[in-house]
Amino acid sequence: MNKSNQTVTEFLLYGFPNVTGFRAVMLFIVILMIYTVTLMINTMVIVLVSIKTKLHSPMYFFLQQLSFVESMFLTVVVPNMLRVIWLEGATISVSGCIAQAYVYCAIGSTECHLLTVMSYDRYLAICRPLHYSTIMVPRLQNCLVIYCWIFSFLLTQITLNFLCQLDFCSPFVINHFFCDLAPFLQLTCSHKIDFQLMILIVAIPIMVIPFILVLISYSFVFITIFGISSAKGRKKTFSTCSSHLTVVTMYYGTIITIYMVPANGDTLTVNKSIAFLYIVVTPLFNPIIYCLRNQEMKAVMEKFFLKSKQ
């Protein structure tokens, strides 16, 4: 870290400056409840896929990994976010802020690549069903997941190195509830254009390429589905990928809005609202969508709860 950074010891996270008093307490309670419920649902998915033989297939293996990634993603942001809301603004060390930004981006990148892997799994299952079991073997499944984690953390290292070289100018205030990349643009007194360019360049392998691969996979999937003669067959085949398609649409829709649109003082407030939905609300709906729209998972959950009540 350069000399300018050494004079800065901490930043102030504004959080939600317009939410104070009773409203701040209510927001704190709502977010805490969402966080707790989301962790419980994701944990349940992880456990059920592990112990139920009926769910020992590549699709549920990747769903289990997605639940784990989203639990980690939430935990990186929400606990400190709750502290910021409760105190109506709180400080965070520069190193802690940069570390949070790095881990947040790395895990977000991991989820992008994992969703891409899941779309590839759906492509093989629907477009190449006769070869599916011989291609998507456990060894390949594990390699794909390991790739998602290692590649994402190594790629995001570029962001970490750049953040550590920035010069920060007063006031050292972040108009956000966590250390996202966009607010750093408001703090730095140099390298603004370089920083924006870096974000766009890194976004290509993190978001753009995975998104294109998802689109390609589902293009082949839809071609195959529309080629099925019976309406019942088309509906049954589409149901196997509809949950994943819904999650992908929600996920990429928000992150492209946040990171592919250059941030400024006017858009930061909007980005903060979108980030709230993306970080807190979306991870709650993702496992619910998979559980409610997947008949096999739904049946296993019903049996599990019936046995637990006995």
Side-chain angles (χ1 to χ4, degrees):
M1 215 174 268
N2 58 35
K3 293 181 179 180
S4 296
N5 284 342
Q6 289 176 358
T7 62
V8 185
T9 58
E10 59 186 21
F11 298 131
L12 173 64
L13 286 169
Y14 250 171
F16 303 93
N18 296 326
V19 181
T20 58
F22 178 73
R23 290 194 301 169
V25 174
M26 293 304 298
L27 181 62
F28 178 92
I29 293 173
V30 169
I31 294 175
L32 179 60
M33 290 177 61
I34 293 175
Y35 177 58
T36 304
V37 171
T38 304
L39 288 184
M40 289 175 61
I41 295 175
N42 280 325
T43 301
M44 181 178 64
V45 170
I46 293 171
V47 172
L48 287 177
V49 173
S50 298
I51 65 176
K52 297 296 182 179
T53 307
K54 192 176 182 180
L55 301 179
H56 287 178
S57 67
M59 181 175 70
Y60 295 112
F61 171 75
F62 292 128
L63 175 59
Q64 180 189 52
Q65 299 303 313
L66 180 65
S67 295
F68 176 73
V69 169
E70 292 202 325
S71 297
M72 295 289 292
F73 188 72
L74 270 175
T75 304
V76 168
V77 177
V78 174
N80 190 61
M81 175 186 177
L82 291 172
R83 183 176 72 93
V84 171
I85 294 172
W86 184 260
L87 298 176
E88 297 182 10
T91 59
I92 184 171
S93 66
V94 174
S95 59
C97 193
I98 292 176
Q100 184 185 52
Y102 168 67
V103 177
Y104 162 81
C105 291
I107 295 179
S109 173
T110 303
E111 184 163 356
C112 282
H113 288 88
L114 186 58
L115 288 173
T116 306
V117 167
M118 294 174 75
S119 69
Y120 173 66
D121 173 72
R122 291 301 82 205
Y123 158 76
L124 288 178
I126 295 172
C127 300
R128 302 184 63 185
L130 297 179
H131 302 90
Y132 179 69
S133 58
T134 57
I135 295 175
M136 193 56 71
V137 294
R139 179 183 175 85
L140 178 61
Q141 296 170 39
N142 292 327
C143 287
L144 288 172
V145 171
I146 292 172
Y147 153 79
C148 290
W149 282 98
I150 294 178
F151 180 77
S152 297
F153 273 82
L154 289 178
L155 184 62
T156 314
Q157 184 73 33
I158 299 172
T159 305
L160 176 64
N161 294 338
F162 204 100
L163 287 176
C164 291
Q165 295 173 13
L166 289 177
D167 296 323
F168 299 114
C169 301
S170 61
F172 306 117
V173 176
I174 295 179
N175 184 20
H176 217 309
F177 52 81
F178 78 108
C179 296
D180 198 3
L181 291 180
F184 278 106
L185 281 171
Q186 308 303 311
L187 291 175
T188 182
C189 46
S190 62
H191 308 301
K192 285 183 182 290
I193 296 178
D194 292 342
F195 190 38
Q196 285 180 318
L197 183 61
M198 182 274 299
I199 292 176
L200 290 174
I201 291 174
V202 173
I204 293 174
I206 288 180
M207 289 185 291
V208 178
I209 293 177
F211 184 58
I212 291 173
L213 292 176
V214 169
L215 291 178
I216 293 173
S217 296
Y218 273 104
S219 296
F220 285 108
V221 167
F222 288 144
I223 291 172
T224 302
I225 291 175
F226 291 140
I228 298 174
S229 57
S230 67
K232 184 177 180 180
R234 288 195 297 270
K235 183 178 179 180
K236 183 179 179 180
T237 304
F238 181 74
S239 66
T240 64
C241 62
S242 59
S243 301
H244 179 256
L245 187 59
T246 304
V247 170
V248 166
T249 303
M250 292 172 56
Y251 184 82
Y252 278 103
T254 52
I255 62 174
I256 289 175
T257 302
I258 295 173
Y259 296 110
M260 297 306 290
V261 178
N264 52 51
D266 298 325
T267 60
L268 273 177
T269 302
V270 177
N271 282 357
K272 191 195 300 185
S273 302
I274 298 173
F276 178 81
L277 295 174
Y278 162 61
I279 293 170
V280 178
V281 180
T282 302
L284 171 64
F285 283 109
N286 286 353
I288 293 176
I289 290 171
Y290 272 107
C291 294
L292 293 182
R293 300 192 66 174
N294 186 292
Q295 295 301 320
E296 203 167 34
M297 174 66 77
K298 192 175 179 180
V300 169
M301 289 180 64
E302 288 175 353
K303 289 182 180 179
F304 178 79
F305 281 116
L306 286 175
K307 286 185 178 180
S308 62
K309 288 181 179 180
Q310 295 176 354

